Amino acid sequence: AAGVIQSPRHLIKEKRETATLKCYPIPRHDTVYWYQQGPGQDPQFLISFYEKMQSDKGSIPDRFSAQQFSDYHSELNMSSLELGDSALYFCASSPHETVYNEQFFGPGTRLTVL
Amino acid sequence: AQTVTQSQPEMSVQEAETVTLSCTYDTSESNYYLFWYKQPPSRQMILVIRQEAYKQQNATENRFSVNFQKAAKSFSLKISDSQLGDTAMYFCAFMMPPNDMRFGAGTRLTVKP
């Protein structure tokens, strides 16, 4: 079965650089969620989109922005990167009408800021 | 705001034995969902089991079962016949539809041969 795809899987950036993370949800899933998991931390919700509109916002820094496109894939744009942005970034997707609202997680993008 | 508490940072169990991971949560809502996710060393987030708050019956998935106590706001995970492959971080998660999911701090489970 198709799963959530995230690219790249690994990314190394310098401080103050910009990074773009991509997420391709499971086919027919119209809702996308972004999470940030720091070393030894639990995943923290950043932002979510439903039908290309932002549906909820968590602890996403102002330096970050995200959007969902017409094909439902999503991109997380991160500017002025800081050392503390080094983390595993998960994307998850779900079909909006699902009773269980289960979120299916991608493999994550490991971002390292040097 | 919803909060999720996992009071056991680390646990260990012998292979083939049973272990229970604790989770409590705080909410004033009546309609919500609870999940246990497993995160092995690969860091992939894998759904283990889910429970709808309106269902009184405890969810079961093979060797995994939950003890859902709604009044006590408790949602523990029992792993029977533990296997080496069960070694992982386990996150309890709460979601009130259609919002974001809140995770507990996690419990690191080690299954010993």
Side-chain angles (χ1 to χ4, degrees):
Chain A
V4 176
I5 297 172
Q6 290 186 246
S7 68
R9 293 294 306 278
H10 301 274
L11 189 59
I12 300 175
K13 290 286 186 178
E14 300 277 344
K15 276 175 30 179
R16 292 180 288 279
E17 286 191 326
T18 298
T20 297
L21 278 53
K22 297 184 179 182
C23 169
Y24 298 86
I26 293 171
R28 291 180 294 282
H29 284 197
D30 51 14
T31 305
V32 170
Y33 311 80
W34 285 98
Y35 293 87
Q36 177 192 57
Q37 186 179 25
Q41 305 291 315
D42 57 290
Q44 295 291 316
F45 171 71
L46 293 178
I47 196 167
S48 63
F49 291 88
Y50 164 62
E51 283 290 344
K52 294 154 281 184
M53 299 288 288
Q54 180 182 307
S55 59
D56 203 358
K57 193 172 182 179
S59 53
I60 185 170
D62 291 340
R63 299 178 290 107
F64 294 7
S65 65
Q67 58 182 325
Q68 185 179 32
F69 296 86
S70 57
D71 63 351
Y72 297 110
H73 94 271
S74 178
E75 295 184 2
L76 177 66
N77 298 293
M78 310 160 70
S79 62
S80 302
L81 287 169
E82 301 173 357
L83 296 178
D85 296 329
S86 294
L88 187 59
Y89 290 83
F90 284 107
C91 170
S93 74
S94 68
H96 188 75
E97 64 274 12
T98 301
V99 172
Y100 297 112
N101 285 284
E102 176 183 340
Q103 295 181 19
F104 296 81
F105 283 79
T109 293
R110 184 177 299 281
L111 172 66
T112 302
V113 181
L114 302 176
Chain B
Q2 286 70 235
T3 59
V4 181
T5 302
Q6 292 179 249
S7 59
Q8 305 151 315
E10 294 189 22
M11 293 192 72
S12 64
V13 63
Q14 291 294 134
E15 195 175 5
E17 293 188 344
T18 295
V19 64
T20 298
L21 309 183
S22 301
C23 173
T24 58
Y25 58 94
D26 184 28
T27 183
S28 57
E29 300 295 329
S30 58
N31 181 31
Y32 51 87
Y33 301 92
L34 296 162
F35 305 86
W36 277 98
Y37 277 90
K38 169 185 176 181
Q39 188 176 45
S42 67
R43 305 297 298 278
Q44 175 77 46
M45 293 290 282
I46 303 167
L47 178 67
V48 175
I49 200 165
R50 59 178 172 246
Q51 175 80 44
E52 299 95 306
Y54 65 87
K55 288 189 176 180
Q56 292 184 335
Q57 185 174 7
N58 290 324
T60 299
E61 286 287 341
N62 300 315
R63 298 181 296 106
F64 299 89
S65 61
V66 299
N67 183 5
F68 174 48
Q69 301 291 328
K70 191 172 183 179
K73 298 179 182 176
S74 171
F75 182 60
S76 60
L77 174 70
K78 185 172 82 171
I79 306 175
S80 305
D81 187 25
S82 297
Q83 301 176 358
L84 296 178
D86 295 334
T87 293
M89 278 290 283
Y90 286 81
F91 291 101
C92 177
F94 170 100
M95 186 165 67
M96 185 178 71
N99 296 330
D100 59 275
M101 194 178 306
R102 303 286 177 173
F103 290 87
T107 297
R108 183 175 302 280
L109 176 67
T110 301
V111 180
K112 298 179 179 179

